[in-house]
């Protein structure tokens, strides 16, 4: 992308998972990252990943009658090898994230977005985040837990449906179907989409627009934030940025030779 002031930068959609299939993008991204002066993550990872214990305690156990809670716990442990009893004092979005992480592949020690952050630091780039840990945690605690407890119960009752959705989002990402990925993410957010997607997109774009000039940036955000009329790509275009896709080939993968997930002039 080229800013209204003429600086060239890049933006890439990541996934917060450790699956080797998403890591295959990294080899093609390394030389692009090294061209930038500043690496920008969705969150400032040097301030620490959000501690799951931050903020108020929640109590999923108290929300359900004991027999229902025990059934949910048993079903989640059976389907995902996850003991929800270890997490039920946390916000339910964190519980849902833990469920996802338990059945996805754990091929690497850290998630893709953490790895790219560490790669940029090892190559002596300045690093910064579009959001802080405190902002993300404050947003989390604004979300009422009760509707999400209902969703967790549905996941326990229909685990194959949840697996199918997660698998489909990963396939959309790998095949560069970013708009479909956005549509699925938006649909899954229900009443939370305004707070978790649209408002955050606008705030992140305002921060990108405020970056100092005379530097180039490699920016990473969750891939679900890129597409759509309220997505980061569209908002940057409306702000006068010129956007175009960079095609590159994933190593050792001939099924999808061209990927258009990095944006530049």
């Amino acid at each position: 992308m080229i800013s209204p002031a003429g600086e060239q930068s890049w933006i890439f959609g990541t996934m917060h998972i450790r699956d080797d299939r998403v890591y295959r993008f990294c080899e093609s991204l390394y030389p692009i990252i090294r061209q930038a002066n500043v690496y920008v993550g969705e969150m400032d990872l040097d301030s620490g990943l959000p501690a799951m214990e931050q903020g108020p305690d929640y109590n999923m156990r108290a929300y359900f009658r004991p027999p229902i809670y025990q059934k949910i716990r048993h079903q989640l442990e059976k389907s995902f090898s996850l003991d929800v009893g270890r997490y039920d004092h946390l916000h339910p979005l964190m519980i849902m994230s833990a469920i996802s992480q338990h059945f996805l592949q754990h091929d690497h020690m850290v998630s893709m977005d953490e790895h790219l952050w560490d790669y940029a630091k090892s190559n002596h780039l300045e690093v910064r985040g579009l959001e802080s840990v405190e902002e993300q945690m404050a947003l989390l605690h604004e979300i009422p837990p009760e509707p999400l407890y209902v969703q967790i119960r549905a996941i326990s009752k229909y685990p194959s449906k949840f697996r199918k959705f997660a698998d489909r989002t990963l396939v959309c990402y790998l095949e560069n179907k970013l708009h479909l990925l956005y549509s699925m993410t938006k649909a899954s957010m229900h009443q939370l989409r305004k707070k978790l997607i649209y408002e955050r997109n606008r705030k992140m774009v305002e921060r990108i627009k405020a970056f100092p000039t005379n530097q180039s940036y490699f920016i990473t955000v969750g891939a679900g934030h890129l597409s759509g009329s309220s997505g980061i790509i569209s908002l940057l275009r409306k702000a006068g940025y010129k956007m175009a896709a960079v095609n590159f080939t994933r190593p050792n993968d001939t099924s999808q030779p061209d990927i258009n997930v990095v944006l530049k002039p």
Side-chain angles (χ1 to χ4, degrees), residues 1 37 39 50 54 138 170 174 191 210:
M1 68 184 185
N37 304 117
Y39 181 94
Q54 281 183 260
L170 179 56
L174 296 174
Q191 73 278 11

Side-chain angles (χ1 to χ4, degrees), residues 83-203:
D83 180 7
V84 76
R86 297 173 52 201
Y87 301 93
D88 62 6
H89 63 292
L90 304 177
H91 192 282
L93 270 184
M94 289 186 167
I95 300 175
M96 295 169 74
S97 176
I99 294 170
S100 297
Q101 293 298 323
H102 266 254
F103 78 82
L104 289 170
Q105 295 181 36
H106 298 163
D107 302 308
H108 296 270
M109 292 295 293
V110 298
S111 63
M112 178 200 199
D113 49 349
E114 295 172 77
H115 171 73
L116 293 176
W117 177 278
D118 291 339
Y119 179 82
K121 288 179 62 179
S122 70
N123 281 271
H124 311 294
L125 272 72
E126 177 188 344
V127 293
R128 66 178 69 163
L130 286 172
E131 297 178 318
S132 68
V133 173
E134 292 76 18
E135 285 177 313
Q136 290 203 350
M137 296 307 296
L139 175 63
L140 180 74
H141 297 307
E142 289 177 12
I143 299 169
E146 291 79 11
L148 298 173
Y149 288 146
V150 175
Q151 289 189 44
I152 291 172
R153 185 183 184 189
I155 291 169
S156 73
K157 292 174 69 175
Y158 308 106
S160 61
K161 184 177 180 180
F162 183 75
R163 287 177 182 273
K164 186 179 294 185
F165 175 83
D167 287 340
R168 190 179 176 207
T169 58
L170 179 56
V171 169
C172 286
Y173 180 78
L174 296 174
E175 295 182 353
N176 193 33
K177 296 177 179 177
L178 291 184
H179 191 71
L180 181 56
L181 177 63
Y182 155 75
S183 298
M184 292 175 65
T185 302
K186 180 179 71 170
S188 70
M189 292 292 180
H190 304 290
Q191 73 278 11
L192 300 178
R193 65 185 64 160
K194 179 180 178 181
K195 186 177 291 291
L196 293 183
I197 303 177
Y198 305 149
E199 291 180 1
R200 290 177 64 209
N201 286 353
R202 287 194 291 270
K203 184 178 292 185

Side-chain angles (χ1 to χ4, degrees), residues 2-5 235-242:
I2 291 192
S3 73
L235 294 176
L236 285 172
R237 284 195 171 118
K238 291 174 184 176
Y241 287 73
K242 297 178 180 178

